[in-house]
Amino acid sequence: MSESINPLITEQLDALLHGETNLMANLVNASALLMQTIPDINWAGFYLYQPASDDLILGPFQGNVACMHIENNRGVCGTALATQTVQRVADVHQFAGHIACDSASNAEIVVPLTTAQGKLGVLDIDSPSTDRFSAEDQRVLE
């Protein structure tokens, strides 16, 4: 397993986003901060929930090109959206229905995002290493 995610990332994120109310600007900077500070990852970003089509659409991210639409309850991101639970997958190739947007990704963690109004989307982070994300990483990202 790789080096854990530094818990100070939450303080860095709070400082970076302090006073900014624009969702897109905050998501762009959050994805950049995650990509720059989390060791051993190759993708960090967001998929945003589309209520009209009940699916996810690609949002701000850092990394290789990505899938643009993900159906609710499909793949790791769609499962996180449908179940509203964190999906921490040690080996994505063993995950039933995994969507291979980047063949270099081997482990993934997806955190559902909600607001008072309901589902916002998911935070998705991929790693080229299997078993990359620990329970402590999950706690920090939640």
Side-chain angles (χ1 to χ4, degrees):
M1 196 170 300
S2 298
E3 180 182 343
S4 293
I5 298 172
N6 188 329
L8 291 177
I9 197 170
T10 57
E11 292 177 30
Q12 291 173 303
L13 189 58
D14 286 345
L16 179 65
L17 307 182
H18 180 75
E20 180 55 61
T21 59
N22 183 280
L23 175 64
M24 214 45 67
N26 284 333
L27 294 178
V28 168
N29 266 339
S31 64
L33 177 68
L34 294 169
M35 190 68 173
Q36 291 170 5
T37 58
I38 299 175
D40 194 26
I41 65 170
N42 60 333
W43 202 93
F46 299 91
Y47 281 93
L48 303 175
Y49 181 60
Q50 304 298 295
S53 54
D54 190 35
D55 67 356
L56 294 165
I57 190 162
L58 182 62
F61 73 94
Q62 301 284 310
N64 290 337
V65 297
C67 300
M68 290 193 284
H69 293 270
I70 297 177
E71 295 174 30
N72 192 356
N73 209 28
R74 184 158 180 258
V76 181
C77 289
T79 299
L81 177 69
T83 63
Q84 288 295 288
T85 59
V86 174
Q87 300 295 304
R88 183 167 42 99
V89 181
D91 183 351
V92 295
H93 307 291
Q94 302 303 313
F95 189 92
H98 172 250
I99 303 167
C101 298
D102 182 351
S103 62
S105 294
N106 290 306
E108 187 169 4
I109 188 164
V110 180
V111 180
L113 305 172
T114 58
T115 68
Q117 292 74 37
K119 297 175 185 176
L120 177 65
V122 299
L123 164 63
D124 180 19
I125 303 175
D126 296 357
S127 172
S129 300
T130 56
D131 201 24
R132 161 61 186 91
F133 302 104
S134 67
E136 176 61 17
D137 292 336
Q138 178 177 333
R139 188 194 65 73
V140 169
L141 292 170
E142 288 180 301

